[in-house]
Amino acid sequence: MATLPILFLILCVFASEAKIFRNLHAPPPIDVPVGRATVPVWANITQRVDHFNPVDKRTWKMRYLYNDECFVSGGPIFIYLGGEWTITTGRLMTGPIYDMACENGGYMFYTEHRYYGESQPTSDWSSENLKYLSADQALADIAYFIKYQKENIPALQNSSVVAIGGSYSATLATWVRIKYPHFVDIAYASSAPLNAKEDFFEYYEVVNDNLALASSTCPTVIRSAISEIETMLESQEGIATISALFGYVAALLHVFCVFTSRLCISNGLI
Ligand SMILES: *[C@@H]1O[C@H](CO)[C@@H](O)[C@H](O)[C@H]1NC(C)=O
Ligand SMILES: *[C@@H]1O[C@H](CO)[C@@H](O)[C@H](O)[C@H]1NC(C)=O
């Protein structure tokens, strides 16, 4: 009996997984009208693995996109900051960033966040290497990116800089303006989570809404499965059952652990 809701959870999550994760870990979808813009250009910039340790000389290639089709010499820089996703060309082809840049003779950039997409500072994601995955390092990447472009594209030498972001990358846009005001003139932050708090129930409301996109019963099933698993995590027997159940679907266990991370961590499950 105890495993029935868990099975439903698995089915429910598998059935909706792609949809849910596309919705949660990607910027909002954007339609690209054919023929409106030239294709943005892919490029790389060399960044330091650790911006805060002068002895560490290691570097990596951070990927980015640019589109200068509307640029007028001396015009502003519009830099869209990548968040926890792989960057794609659409953002620089249509929508608000494209419109703002084109109305103001601006130069568009879209940077990929370290450890996402092709922008990998280290050869693997071991704990030792993941210590360079931090907002502070990502902010330093952005600051150096702006400095580099201004030094290397003469027409950008005196340009104002607008940092733009959505969700986590909007938080970065806000922070980069505060931390590096000499590089960034304006932050455009759309849905930026700025208030860090322990019991961030508002986030789960969004998760709930996303689960409901899959089916109206999905949130209820998941809620009951979670409370059942929480109970099971309180005994050694329960922990063994969960390990066995989720042994084949480690990724799903990880998803679950997002909901009850403290319990999972304290039990060594992730
Ligand atoms: C960027 O660097 C990657 C990895 O070294 C390489 O595969 C890719 O071709 C580079 N892209 C450009 C546009 O230079
Ligand atoms: C930037 O400003 C300097 C000093 O005013 C000026 O000499 C230079 O031509 C300007 N560059 C551009 C691209 O506008």
Side-chain angles (χ1 to χ4, degrees), residues 154-155 157-158:
Q157 192 188 353
N158 307 320

Side-chain angles (χ1 to χ4, degrees), residues 58-200:
R58 288 174 299 163
T59 59
W60 56 286
K61 285 208 165 68
M62 174 175 163
R63 189 165 71 150
Y64 67 98
L65 283 158
Y66 67 89
N67 182 351
D68 61 358
E69 68 170 286
C70 297
F71 181 61
V72 177
S73 185
I77 294 169
F78 289 84
I79 167 170
Y80 187 60
L81 308 178
E84 72 283 25
W85 57 77
T86 301
I87 63 169
T88 53
T89 54
R91 294 277 138 179
L92 300 191
M93 295 170 78
T94 184
I97 297 148
Y98 182 87
D99 289 345
M100 284 191 290
C102 285
E103 281 169 23
N104 293 284
Y107 201 109
M108 293 169 248
F109 289 108
Y110 186 3
T111 51
E112 193 163 63
H113 193 291
R114 53 168 62 207
Y115 290 94
Y116 290 89
E118 301 285 309
S119 298
Q120 300 297 327
T122 52
S123 55
D124 62 39
W125 291 351
S126 62
S127 302
E128 174 61 20
N129 280 337
L130 281 180
K131 71 182 181 198
Y132 305 107
L133 173 54
S134 72
D136 277 330
Q137 297 282 3
L139 292 171
D141 289 337
I142 299 160
Y144 176 72
F145 181 87
I146 296 166
K147 181 172 181 285
Y148 176 90
Q149 301 299 351
K150 288 192 137 192
E151 284 172 1
N152 285 277
I153 303 176
L156 296 179
Q157 192 188 353
N158 307 320
S159 296
S160 304
V161 176
V162 186
I164 303 168
S167 189
Y168 161 57
S169 87
T171 309
L172 290 177
T174 310
W175 287 342
V176 82
R177 162 75 184 125
I178 293 169
K179 192 168 177 185
Y180 300 95
H182 47 305
F183 288 135
V184 179
D185 301 280
I186 295 174
Y188 179 111
S190 174
S191 300
L194 293 175
N195 179 23
K197 56 194 274 197
E198 196 179 341
D199 182 16
F200 187 12

Side-chain angles (χ1 to χ4, degrees), residues 221-251:
V221 172
I222 292 202
R223 200 172 293 124
S224 79
I226 285 170
S227 69
E228 189 177 311
I229 293 173
E230 279 175 343
T231 308
M232 290 167 82
L233 283 173
E234 282 161 13
S235 73
Q236 286 307 315
E237 198 195 341
I239 291 169
T241 309
I242 288 169
S243 294
L245 259 175
F246 287 102
Y248 306 101
V249 276

